[in-house]
Amino acid sequence: MSQFILVNLKAYKEGMGPRAHLIARAAEEVSEESGIQIGVAPSFFDLHPLSKHFEIPVFAQHLDGVAPGAFTGHVTAAAVKQTGAAGTLINHSERRLTLAEIEGSVRAATDAGLITVICSNNDLTSAAAAALSPTYVAIEPPELIGSGVSVAKADPGIIQRSVAAVHAVNPQVKVLTGAGIQSGECVKIARDLGTDGVLLASSVVKAEDPAVVLRDLVSLL
């Protein structure tokens, strides 16, 4: 099973501008070394520069389900696509949407040819997300995000239930897991529980040397 590691740079100061480039460069190097696909989700301001300068997949952190037009402050799928980005996160726990908004964002992103990652917080919402046919559903218990406690160790059951729930609705949808992922052991556990990869942030973004952490993350795959 191919694995995908997606690093969310969030709005961390350690993930902006030159540091965003440093992280993307590390991700590209480790991806080439290991053969494991690694992507990054930077701020909107860094989407175009990273998409232009690196071969790894670059994701937006959010996308609105609106067409180009009179929508001040919204982020359209067309705009994200024009930056060169490969995909987008939708409904991250720090950027929650209504079900109707999620559906609209998925439709707009899919129509634009973007990879879609719907974030969910439990197995029931994972099943609902799968019904919208995204590329990935990413299960992330909110209480473990940024905690340093890995979901793979703290609550492996939610991963198993979410994988089963997603595949029962749509076997074509892939599953990522996140929240507290910080080591190769976490990634291996997640893979062994049936996921297609991980979504993580602070353990890479805040690292003094992101490449060292990324090499550890792929070390047991």
Side-chain angles (χ1 to χ4, degrees):
M1 180 186 297
S2 62
Q3 293 285 294
F4 180 40
I5 294 176
L6 180 55
V7 183
N8 181 9
L9 277 55
K10 300 192 176 184
Y12 289 129
K13 62 182 180 181
E14 297 92 343
M16 298 179 183
R19 274 283 301 189
H21 283 253
L22 183 150
I23 293 166
R25 185 174 297 109
E28 189 163 84
E29 290 175 357
V30 176
S31 181
E32 291 173 352
E33 295 168 4
S34 65
I36 303 297
Q37 189 175 54
I38 303 174
V40 295
S43 75
F44 292 117
F45 300 103
D46 290 313
L47 274 179
H48 177 63
L50 297 193
S51 297
K52 179 179 180 180
H53 292 292
F54 300 98
E55 297 299 321
I56 58 171
V58 177
F59 282 63
Q61 295 180 9
H62 167 76
L63 184 151
D64 295 303
V66 297
F71 295 102
T72 300
H74 288 69
V75 179
T76 66
V80 170
K81 184 71 173 180
Q82 281 194 343
T83 68
T88 184
L89 298 177
I90 297 169
N91 193 50
H92 190 276
S93 66
E94 295 157 356
R95 188 66 170 84
R96 285 284 187 219
L97 302 176
T98 66
L99 182 57
E101 289 170 335
I102 295 170
E103 193 275 334
S105 294
V106 171
R107 187 191 312 116
T110 301
D111 288 347
L114 296 168
I115 298 167
T116 50
V117 180
I118 300 179
C119 298
S120 66
N121 62 346
N122 58 47
D123 49 316
L124 294 177
T125 57
S126 294
L132 299 176
S133 298
T135 315
Y136 293 92
V137 170
I139 172 66
E140 289 192 303
E143 66 274 13
L144 295 178
I145 293 176
S147 68
V149 178
S150 169
V151 62
K153 296 180 179 180
D155 194 0
I158 195 172
I159 299 175
Q160 292 175 305
R161 294 192 303 273
S162 293
V163 170
V166 167
H167 290 167
V169 173
N170 188 337
Q172 302 306 311
V173 176
K174 299 177 182 179
V175 181
L176 303 178
T177 190
I181 300 293
Q182 54 189 314
S183 70
E185 183 183 10
C186 298
V187 178
K188 182 180 183 299
I189 292 171
R191 181 199 63 186
D192 292 346
L193 291 171
T195 71
D196 300 281
V198 296
L199 173 62
L200 73 162
S202 58
S203 60
V204 174
V205 180
K206 293 189 173 185
E208 182 175 346
D209 188 341
V212 170
V213 178
L214 287 167
R215 287 191 177 95
D216 179 52
L217 290 170
V218 302
S219 63
L220 299 179
L221 296 176

